[in-house]
Amino acid sequence: MADFVGALDQGTTSTRFMIFDHGGNEVARHQLEHEQILPQAGWVEHNPTEIWERTRAVVQTTLNKANLHHDDLAAFGITNQRETTLVWNRRTGRPYYNAIVWQDTRTDRIASALERDGRGKTIRHRAGLPPATYFSAGKVQWIMENVDGVRDAAERGDAVFGNMDTWVLWNLTGGTDGGVHVTDVTNASRTMLMDLETLQWDDELLSFFGIPRQMLPEIKPSSAPDPYGVTRADGPLGGEVPLTGILGDQQAATVGQVCFSPGEAKNTYGTGNFLLLNTGEELVRSKAGMLTTVCYKFGDHPQVYALEGSIAVTGSAVQWLRDQLGIISGAAQSENLARQVEDNGGVYFVPAFSGLFAPYWRSDARGAIVGLSRFNTNAHLARATLESICYQSKDVVEAMREDSGVSLDVLKVDGGVTANELCMQMQADILGVPVSRPVVAETTALGAAYAAGLAVGFWNTTDELRQNWNEDKRWLPTWGEEQREKGYAGWKKAVERTYGWVDVD
Ligand SMILES: Nc1ncnc2c1ncn2[C@@H]1O[C@H](COP(=O)(O)OP(=O)(O)O)[C@@H](O)[C@H]1O
Ligand SMILES: O=P(O)(O)OC[C@H](O)CO
């Protein structure tokens, strides 16, 4: 058996390829950003051709950096930004429209109609998701209604739908020349089209959005001993490697953090934040604004479910300070700027750029900075931005406790923002719970590598994977209860100020 496993992480801001050894250690990586296309307020798109080109480039460069070849890889795993929606022509390989990103709010009318006319109740029960702009089905409907020729092509069987896992897999396995059209259960569970119990596309859900079944990829397990396909020899790997793992990126991070037992949770801090709690084989239906989602399904083993608190804007609020306001020149500088002041100076920033996701699900909310006085500076705003990441996480931890009865005794964290030591200290203070970061912070790619490697016997059991997890750093709470309650009360008041800002009806 080859000595390494490769994993592609096609994320919201960048695409990276990483190679891991048997101990779960990183051997090499390369990463490239892609353009965020913002055609109008609330719209976010990616160019799928650019994403495929970036994929080719990162795979080739990583192999070159490590001086490895395709036959050094026992398996290839894919993880991806979830929900982001693409429709392309299976004969020409050409996309009909840019990929509509999960953060995009153009489908707010579609989502609010679902809620008004009662279909939302069926979607909540069957798909485990609230009707919101976030998920794929409304985006497919929008493309069919607004892009010439797509509906006819879909009915003829020419136009196909996929999230980014499916797009990358289709291209890696051959594109118009034999590409496979497949997704995994975790990605399918984010479309609003899959029945969470049967793990199959559901005809009634499809009819809500007018989506013909032949547009959809085949749903497979997240770890597939019978491979989805092999990389084509004239592709970026230059040879055949079995493609045996696919996980949506947040489920991948849960696997990379070895949260294999019910009650174990992780919080990933990237463009947005995503807290997932493993609920085992039990499908827990949320009453507190969490999503029910498939956590993973390894081969023939029963599927494992999770409760998820999805937050749309966290790291991207830091990017906003950099790109739109220009008050920092890089994300890391947010820490230095925020350290210039002792506290938020009364300022709260609710970055509801895409409405509010969990646990509020308010598509009528928009961002607000409140509590300003003449005393405040950029440093207070930087601090309020980092605090907003932590307060939004507290909101979902509270909701999770309500749904599951689980009180976390430690929060496992990962993702780009966890490099920010001040933010992690604030998180421990605001939650009143220790925060723990692992040595291998790239848990998303690692989780996809684990799924792919388990399928081919590179790793044999989840217990073996647990041995690979080691703590890098732990932050302990320093605030008293009174300070914590006062700070949180201010946050809750600020959140209320964002409601009803846009009219979605
Ligand atoms: N030191 C830092 N402090 C605060 N935010 C950071 C820092 N470093 C990176 N980020 C934020 O982390 C995000 C990138 O994290 P990453 O895990 O790569 O995200 P994604 O997988 O969503 O592309 C960006 O939004 C960036 O603003
Ligand atoms: O690409 P990320 O890390 O921002 O994750 C995006 C999520 O999968 C959206 O649901």
Side-chain angles (χ1 to χ4, degrees):
M1 163 121 22
D3 291 334
F4 306 99
V5 171
L8 180 86
D9 177 3
Q10 200 304 291
T12 309
T13 46
S14 68
T15 303
R16 76 196 79 176
F17 184 61
M18 297 185 65
I19 297 175
F20 295 96
D21 67 14
H22 196 263
N25 306 302
E26 174 181 340
V27 173
R29 83 164 94 175
H30 191 63
Q31 173 171 349
L32 290 171
E33 288 203 8
H34 53 265
E35 189 187 355
Q36 304 297 313
I37 303 165
L38 310 169
Q40 46 178 286
W43 291 29
V44 188
E45 299 177 1
H46 292 158
N47 175 348
T49 308
E50 184 190 17
I51 284 185
W52 170 236
E53 279 163 7
R54 296 288 188 265
T55 301
R56 293 179 66 95
V58 296
V59 168
Q60 282 166 345
T61 308
T62 308
L63 284 169
N64 290 343
K65 276 184 182 173
N67 198 19
L68 294 175
H69 302 280
H70 67 88
D71 47 9
D72 294 307
L73 301 182
F76 189 112
I78 298 172
T79 180
N80 57 297
Q81 53 169 324
R82 306 162 305 166
E83 300 96 14
T84 296
T85 296
L86 185 64
V87 178
W88 69 94
N89 183 303
R90 77 160 91 230
R91 294 179 204 288
T92 64
R94 244 178 270 136
Y96 287 96
Y97 191 77
N98 275 337
I100 302 183
V101 177
W102 57 275
Q103 300 152 314
D104 189 294
T105 58
R106 79 186 66 189
T107 56
D108 51 5
R109 283 188 174 76
I110 294 176
S112 63
L114 295 170
E115 195 68 285
R116 259 197 326 273
D117 65 19
R119 287 175 292 171
K121 204 166 158 235
T122 307
I123 295 173
R124 273 200 180 82
H125 184 79
R126 214 164 291 162
L129 308 172
T133 57
Y134 181 21
F135 308 104
S136 309
K139 300 180 199 290
V140 180
Q141 180 181 341
W142 188 93
I143 292 172
M144 290 208 293
E145 285 173 355
N146 290 279
V147 181
D148 278 350
V150 176
R151 186 175 292 282
D152 286 348
E155 261 140 31
R156 278 199 314 274
D158 285 346
V160 291
F161 152 76
N163 297 124
M164 289 300 111
D165 59 320
T166 304
W167 172 241
V168 165
L169 179 71
W170 192 78
N171 281 293
L172 280 170
T173 51
T176 51
D177 187 13
V180 300
H181 189 220
V182 160
T183 189
D184 90 303
V185 282
T186 65
N187 278 291
S189 76
R190 319 295 296 191
T191 57
M192 290 212 290
L193 300 171
M194 190 186 82
D195 182 323
L196 269 183
E197 288 180 24
T198 63
L199 305 186
Q200 296 300 323
W201 302 122
D202 180 271
D203 284 326
E204 191 178 7
L205 296 179
L206 288 173
S207 73
F208 287 173
F209 301 93
I211 298 174
R213 195 177 249 267
Q214 65 263 30
M215 280 186 94
L216 303 176
E218 190 183 346
I219 303 174
K220 300 253 188 165
S222 329
S223 176
D226 177 16
Y228 314 115
V230 291
T231 57
R232 70 184 268 163
D234 59 358
L237 285 117
E240 293 189 350
V241 179
L243 288 145
T244 51
I246 304 179
L247 283 161
D249 57 10
Q250 302 310 321
Q251 283 87 345
T254 312
V255 169
Q257 289 268 30
V258 296
C259 296
F260 294 124
S261 300
E264 290 188 297
K266 67 85 206 180
N267 198 16
T268 298
Y269 298 67
T271 309
N273 264 34
F274 302 88
L275 197 149
L276 270 78
L277 172 77
N278 181 325
T279 61
E281 291 172 34
E282 191 192 354
L283 197 164
V284 178
R285 295 186 191 282
S286 175
K287 293 190 181 63
M290 300 291 99
L291 310 179
T292 309
T293 200
V294 181
C295 194
Y296 52 84
K297 176 171 168 57
F298 292 158
D300 292 337
H301 296 278
Q303 63 268 28
V304 168
Y305 293 99
L307 276 172
E308 172 176 325
S310 330
I311 305 167
V313 178
T314 58
S316 55
V318 176
Q319 283 175 317
W320 182 73
L321 297 183
R322 183 193 67 185
D323 301 337
Q324 257 73 14
L325 300 194
I327 65 170
I328 51 175
S329 57
Q333 214 193 327
S334 62
E335 179 165 355
N336 307 336
L337 185 56
R339 279 192 193 279
Q340 289 176 11
V341 287
E342 298 242 304
D343 56 30
N344 66 13
V347 177
Y348 287 87
F349 171 27
V350 186
F353 298 156
S354 303
L356 285 168
F357 284 15
Y360 305 102
W361 299 107
R362 296 287 299 234
S363 48
D364 62 351
R366 283 299 178 272
I369 300 170
V370 299
L372 287 170
S373 65
R374 197 162 171 194
F375 159 75
N376 295 124
T377 64
N378 284 348
H380 293 115
L381 182 56
R383 201 155 181 120
T385 305
L386 299 181
E387 280 191 359
S388 77
I389 297 174
C390 305
Y391 278 123
Q392 292 185 94
S393 295
K394 181 170 172 76
D395 285 338
V396 300
V397 167
E398 294 297 329
M400 199 79 88
R401 180 166 34 218
E402 217 179 301
D403 269 338
S404 65
V406 173
S407 293
L408 298 176
D409 46 18
V410 61
L411 182 68
K412 281 182 168 181
V413 300
D414 53 63
V417 181
T418 64
N420 192 309
E421 304 255 340
L422 175 64
C423 189
M424 292 301 100
Q425 181 58 55
M426 284 174 173
Q427 185 67 86
D429 289 337
I430 284 170
L431 277 182
V433 166
V435 167
S436 163
R437 187 178 65 193
V439 172
V440 179
E442 290 294 341
T443 54
T444 303
L446 183 61
Y450 282 165
L454 279 171
V456 296
F458 186 82
W459 292 289
N460 291 305
T461 62
T462 51
D463 282 344
E464 194 182 338
L465 303 179
R466 277 189 189 282
Q467 309 306 316
N468 291 346
W469 193 94
N470 289 299
E471 182 170 274
D472 169 43
K473 182 148 186 186
R474 180 174 284 238
W475 291 268
L476 301 175
T478 59
W479 285 6
E481 202 52 47
E482 196 183 328
Q483 186 174 5
R484 189 154 32 248
E485 276 172 17
K486 189 161 167 263
Y488 194 45
W491 166 256
K492 291 297 240 187
K493 210 156 103 182
V495 167
E496 279 173 25
R497 299 293 194 271
T498 68
Y499 292 168
W501 194 259
V502 289
D503 181 7
V504 291
D505 294 320

